[in-house]
Amino acid sequence: MAKDKNRLVVKLFSLFFLSVLSYQGLAEGKILVMATTEHEALLAKEVGGEFIDARWIVGADIDPHSVEPDLSHLPWLEQADLFFVNGEQLEAGWLGPLIKEVKNKKIQQGAGGYITLSHGVVLLPYPDQELAGSRFQELLLKNGLNQNVKNHHYWLDPANTIPMIEQIKNAFIRVDPANSKIYDSTAEGLISRLKNKIKEWDDSMAPFRGKKIIAYHRSWNYLALRHGLEIVSYIEPKEMNRPDEARFKELARRFKDQRVALVLISATERPPFVDFDRVTDLAVRLHAHTVILSESMNPSSRRGDIISYFDAMYHSLTSVLK
């Protein structure tokens, strides 16, 4: 009963907030973009500029796997013109229950305003043995989702940003054809700058081909493949399964003489979900560096645009690999 009451309160607040939105922001005629992650929203803002209002559900400092469905996002979703999602079930644990509460037909799955940004990206598969018996597989089963998914961390290869930009640009042109030339020009300029930077980043990483890495989660496979880095193992035994003490001891024993260069962890992987002390202890035992990388742009930390984001990431990597 209390749960139903709380939901009613949220819905009533949402209705009030919708009226405020309509009065304050949406009258300006901007495209209202919702995205499942802050990274996607900020990328959309780079393409859409002053013509869009971009908002997100999962912030840069939050693990997108461990989000609880939050009805406070309903007002924005109800008014959104476009909804950008990562795809490949990154949002498996919460997007389904949330979108069921939304009446806005424009952004329902299958509608023109529901944009899956993984389209156009060459995706890496999850090996069957890593998915079977994992918490990620449990999430897929629980929510009745297709288990034939690929690794959803594709945006961490900078080259995969290019088809994402194309998807975003095309979506803006569909809903705002009057400004199509501006969207096209902005996107092309961004892609051109990105291609030049990709050559620079590739050159900076070329000396480190063959370096061995242990990653916490299966986040950095695309980046490793791009630069010839070898991920020899993961701290999580399977996708989203938490490691126990025996797992850390096993990794320390197996790789003590393997010249592991990096133990790589994402900034969102932190207590209470991650035992960071054990992660750093593993790196010490292997005479490796612990490197923490962000998976998302974030304006508050000088990573507010796509090029500065990857610049910061490559600086972190090359500074320890030298």
Side-chain angles (χ1 to χ4, degrees):
M1 181 69 72
K3 185 177 181 180
D4 292 340
K5 184 177 180 181
N6 289 339
R7 176 167 290 194
L8 178 61
V9 169
V10 172
K11 285 191 173 182
L12 288 173
F13 173 77
S14 298
L15 289 172
F16 168 76
F17 194 43
L18 281 174
S19 64
V20 175
L21 283 178
S22 299
Y23 180 75
Q24 289 186 335
L26 301 183
E28 298 176 4
K30 292 186 177 183
I31 299 170
L32 178 57
V33 172
M34 280 296 292
T36 53
T37 71
E38 185 171 1
H39 190 87
E40 297 156 354
L42 293 178
L43 186 59
K45 187 66 177 174
E46 285 197 71
V47 178
E50 64 182 7
F51 296 101
I52 75 160
D53 184 0
R55 300 180 181 271
W56 55 88
I57 295 170
V58 182
D61 58 345
I62 299 172
D63 181 354
H65 291 299
S66 57
V67 173
E68 293 292 331
D70 184 355
L71 294 180
S72 67
H73 297 289
L74 277 179
W76 299 108
L77 289 166
E78 294 291 5
Q79 293 289 295
D81 299 292
L82 295 168
F83 188 28
F84 293 124
V85 304
N86 172 278
E88 298 305 314
Q89 309 305 345
L90 175 75
E91 308 96 344
W94 53 271
L95 181 55
L98 180 61
I99 204 70
K100 284 180 181 177
E101 299 290 336
V102 178
K103 309 304 180 188
N104 182 357
K105 294 182 179 180
K106 290 187 293 186
I107 62 165
Q108 294 293 329
Q109 189 167 7
Y114 185 102
I115 313 298
T116 302
L117 291 178
S118 60
H119 289 169
V121 176
V122 178
L123 298 166
L124 300 176
Y126 280 113
D128 291 341
Q129 68 271 20
E130 292 185 5
L131 193 59
S134 67
R135 286 188 60 232
F136 183 49
Q137 186 185 54
E138 290 176 11
L139 270 180
L140 297 175
L141 289 169
K142 178 181 176 182
N143 291 281
L145 299 171
N146 185 354
Q147 294 183 61
N148 185 27
V149 294
K150 303 294 194 299
N151 188 307
H152 39 240
H153 297 278
Y154 57 86
W155 74 92
L156 297 174
D157 177 342
N160 288 338
T161 303
I162 294 171
M164 294 172 72
I165 291 170
E166 293 284 359
Q167 288 261 29
I168 291 167
K169 176 197 73 174
N170 292 337
F172 289 158
I173 289 173
R174 284 198 301 272
V175 299
D176 185 19
N179 290 308
S180 60
K181 290 184 178 179
I182 295 175
Y183 299 129
D184 194 59
S185 175
T186 303
E188 289 307 308
L190 181 56
I191 289 171
S192 178
R193 295 195 304 275
L194 193 57
K195 285 180 176 178
N196 289 333
K197 290 296 292 188
I198 287 171
K199 292 177 183 177
E200 177 185 316
W201 297 323
D202 285 349
D203 289 343
S204 73
M205 291 294 292
F208 312 118
R209 296 187 72 84
K211 291 286 187 180
K212 295 180 178 180
I213 295 173
I214 292 178
Y216 189 91
H217 186 66
R218 288 150 180 81
S219 306
W220 302 100
N221 302 53
Y222 290 90
L223 187 73
L225 179 64
R226 175 168 199 86
H227 300 298
L229 305 175
E230 182 185 358
I231 299 179
V232 295
S233 192
Y234 305 94
I235 295 176
E236 287 183 337
K238 291 179 181 286
E239 184 75 341
M240 296 177 62
N241 290 17
R242 294 185 191 176
D244 56 15
E245 184 177 356
R247 176 65 175 175
F248 284 97
K249 289 181 177 179
E250 174 201 353
L251 292 171
R253 182 179 64 254
R254 282 173 56 199
F255 297 103
K256 66 178 181 178
D257 298 319
Q258 298 297 312
R259 298 175 64 89
V260 173
L262 301 178
V263 174
L264 190 55
I265 188 167
S266 299
T268 55
E269 291 160 350
R270 58 191 182 187
F273 305 106
V274 173
D275 190 332
F276 191 73
D277 288 340
R278 281 182 173 166
V279 174
T280 54
D281 179 67
L282 174 64
V284 170
R285 287 170 179 265
L286 297 176
H287 305 287
H289 296 279
T290 302
V291 178
I292 305 171
L293 296 179
S294 174
E295 295 185 13
S296 175
M297 288 184 275
N298 182 351
S300 65
S301 57
R302 299 181 183 178
R303 300 191 312 270
D305 64 85
I306 195 64
I307 289 175
S308 64
Y309 165 73
F310 279 114
D311 266 338
M313 188 177 75
Y314 282 111
H315 175 75
S316 296
L317 283 172
T318 57
S319 62
V320 299
L321 285 169
K322 288 178 180 177

